[in-house]
Amino acid sequence: NRSGGYAVYIQKLDVNGNKLFQSNGILVSNNPQSSSLVDYDLTVDAGNNAIVVFTDTRNGSSINPFAYKISPAGAMLWGANGITLTDSSNIYQANPKVVATSDGNYVFAWIYATTPRKIAMQKLNSGGAPQWGLSPVKLYGSGSENLDWPALIKSDSGSVIMLWSGYTGTFISPQNYRLYTQKFSPSNTKLWT
C-alpha cells in the first residue's frame, strides 16, 4: 500500500537472494482494491514464467480474480491488465489458486460466493485463452453445502488434483465439516468417483 492503496508487485531473486528486478519490484497491477488483497497465488511454469492470480474491484464493488503471466525478464505476457477469470463481476469471488499443468496450461480455482458457496474453475492455455468456455466451470456441493478453500496440484498427463472443504451452517459457525479431493482431466472430466 506504498501509494495509499493496495497494489501488486513482483520481485525476482537469484540463488543468493539478490534482487534481479528493480529494487522495489515490478508493478503488476494498481487496479482498485477493497480494504485488502483477498489472497493470491503464484506458480512458475516450465519456461520460468511466473503466473500470478489475485483479486481486485476493477469491475465494480465485488472482488473478482485476475491472472497475469510474467516472463523471467519481467514482461507482462498476458497484457498490462492480465486475464479476467470470470464473467460474473457482481459476485464476490475470493482466494484464487493456480497450478501449471504438465502439458503447458494453467488451471485456476477460487471461491464463488453465492448461496450456497461454490468453487469456480478455469483453464487457460499458454496464450491466456480460456479452455473450458468463457464462463468458469462451477463445482457444487450437496444440497445446502458450502464449498470453500480450494487447493491445486498438478498430476499426470495435464490433469490436476484439487482439495477443498465443504460444510453446512455458516462461515462463522460451520457444521458437518468435510474435506474432498478430486482429479480432473485436461477437459475437466472428474476422474475419481
Side-chain angles (χ1 to χ4, degrees):
N1 63 356
R2 62 183 80 157
S3 299
Y6 285 94
V8 179
Y9 291 83
I10 193 167
Q11 181 59 266
K12 182 178 176 182
L13 306 175
D14 69 14
V15 69
N16 296 312
N18 299 308
K19 296 177 181 178
L20 299 179
F21 293 156
Q22 60 198 39
S23 63
N24 287 330
I26 295 173
L27 176 67
V28 176
S29 172
N30 62 357
N31 283 296
Q33 294 288 341
S34 296
S35 59
S36 66
L37 278 166
V38 183
D39 212 353
Y40 48 88
D41 200 13
L42 172 131
T43 194
V44 178
D45 66 14
N48 292 321
N49 299 295
I51 311 304
V52 181
V53 62
F54 56 89
T55 59
D56 66 38
T57 56
R58 71 181 77 172
N59 292 333
S61 60
S62 291
I63 61 172
N64 291 166
F66 297 89
Y68 289 72
K69 184 176 181 180
I70 303 156
S71 78
M76 299 294 165
L77 300 178
W78 288 343
N81 276 313
I83 305 288
T84 183
L85 296 176
T86 187
D87 61 347
S88 304
S89 61
N90 60 341
I91 307 255
Y92 181 86
Q93 299 173 66
N95 303 93
K97 302 297 176 192
V98 60
V99 66
T101 63
S102 62
D103 60 355
N105 296 291
Y106 313 97
V107 173
F108 302 84
W110 64 95
I111 297 169
Y112 195 85
T114 54
T115 302
R117 285 182 177 215
K118 300 166 189 61
I119 302 289
M121 299 174 69
Q122 182 56 278
K123 178 179 175 181
L124 301 180
N125 68 13
S126 62
Q131 301 300 292
W132 291 340
L134 297 179
S135 299
V137 174
K138 301 191 186 65
L139 188 62
Y140 294 78
S142 176
S144 63
E145 181 180 40
N146 294 291
L147 303 184
D148 233 335
W149 307 110
L152 293 164
I153 60 168
K154 73 177 176 179
S155 190
D156 61 317
S157 305
S159 64
V160 298
I161 298 173
M162 184 167 63
L163 171 73
W164 70 92
S165 62
Y167 64 91
T168 55
T170 67
F171 179 74
I172 296 171
S173 180
Q175 302 163 1
N176 300 319
Y177 217 90
R178 296 180 172 96
L179 295 177
Y180 298 98
T181 189
Q182 180 60 265
K183 184 175 182 180
F184 296 92
S185 76
S187 62
N188 199 42
T189 300
K190 294 175 182 176
L191 298 176
W192 295 339
T193 58

